[in-house]
Amino acid sequence: MTVASRLMLRRDRGFTLVEVMVALIIVSLAGAAVVKQLVQSARNTRQVQMRTVGMWIAQNKVAELRIVNGLPSTGRDDGDIEYAGQDWVWESTVEPPNDQVQNFLRIDVTVALASNPDQIVADAVGFVGQGGDGALGRPFDTRLPVGPGATPGNAPGQPANPAPGRGPLLTPQGNGT
């Protein structure tokens, strides 16, 4: 037998044990990487779902506090709620943003799972104000007269004018009209 024919016989026998072991190691490493990515993706999906539901709860609580008659009372409040098959806890804080602002409150709401109340899942911030006419939600509205004796602007599209001696209305930028 020639050297060429001996090499042909060796090739016809199949894979060696070492080659099979190397191939199995490569396939198992690739499989483990795929499983790890699937687990991470599932974990991220669950986390996004929890944050979304938590944000809905926080925004609903801010909306509830904004629609009460008059301004909501200042201070802290907390409670629990069952939502989307989970037990949740929330905490709200209502306070003025600073001492110089009157009839305007900041609402902070935090939400966590009841099973782990120290880990905040979502939070929301809202504001509510009371204008000079007592209406909620329009602390700087220049389209409506403010207070008794206020008259609308003379030209169409002009903001309302305050009663004599009350000064100009505020615009959202804080400038007089």
Side-chain angles (χ1 to χ4, degrees):
M1 257 192 191
T2 66
V3 176
S5 62
R6 282 188 203 155
L7 289 176
M8 292 299 264
L9 286 176
R10 281 192 189 163
R11 287 188 194 162
D12 291 340
R13 288 191 204 171
F15 297 107
T16 65
L17 183 58
V18 173
E19 292 171 332
V20 171
M21 294 300 287
V22 168
L24 284 175
I25 290 172
I26 291 172
V27 168
S28 64
L29 289 175
V34 168
V35 169
K36 182 179 177 184
Q37 287 300 321
L38 288 173
V39 168
Q40 185 65 34
S41 177
R43 187 176 296 134
N44 289 344
T45 300
R46 179 76 174 146
Q47 195 173 43
V48 168
Q49 180 186 20
M50 289 294 114
R51 285 184 184 169
T52 300
V53 172
M55 185 57 74
W56 289 343
I57 294 169
Q59 289 174 343
N60 284 346
K61 191 61 187 170
V62 168
E64 286 176 18
L65 290 169
R66 291 180 76 188
I67 62 173
V68 296
N69 282 337
L71 291 173
S73 58
T74 58
R76 290 185 176 267
D77 193 13
D78 59 15
D80 55 29
I81 185 172
E82 191 273 324
Y83 197 86
Q86 295 278 331
D87 291 325
W88 301 83
V89 293
W90 57 265
E91 182 178 319
S92 67
T93 305
V94 179
E95 57 189 15
N98 62 45
D99 293 336
Q100 278 105 31
V101 178
Q102 295 179 4
N103 297 328
F104 194 68
L105 299 172
R106 176 185 170 124
I107 303 168
D108 292 295
V109 178
T110 58
V111 177
L113 285 168
S115 60
N116 191 2
D118 295 331
Q119 184 178 358
I120 295 173
V121 174
D123 60 354
V125 176
F127 294 91
V128 64
Q130 190 169 9
D133 62 353
L136 287 175
R138 296 189 310 234
F140 301 112
D141 196 344
T142 60
R143 296 170 292 169
L144 299 173
V146 175
T151 59
N154 296 334
Q158 281 188 336
N161 294 319
R166 295 196 69 192
L169 295 176
L170 296 177
T171 64
Q173 293 82 24
N175 303 323
T177 54

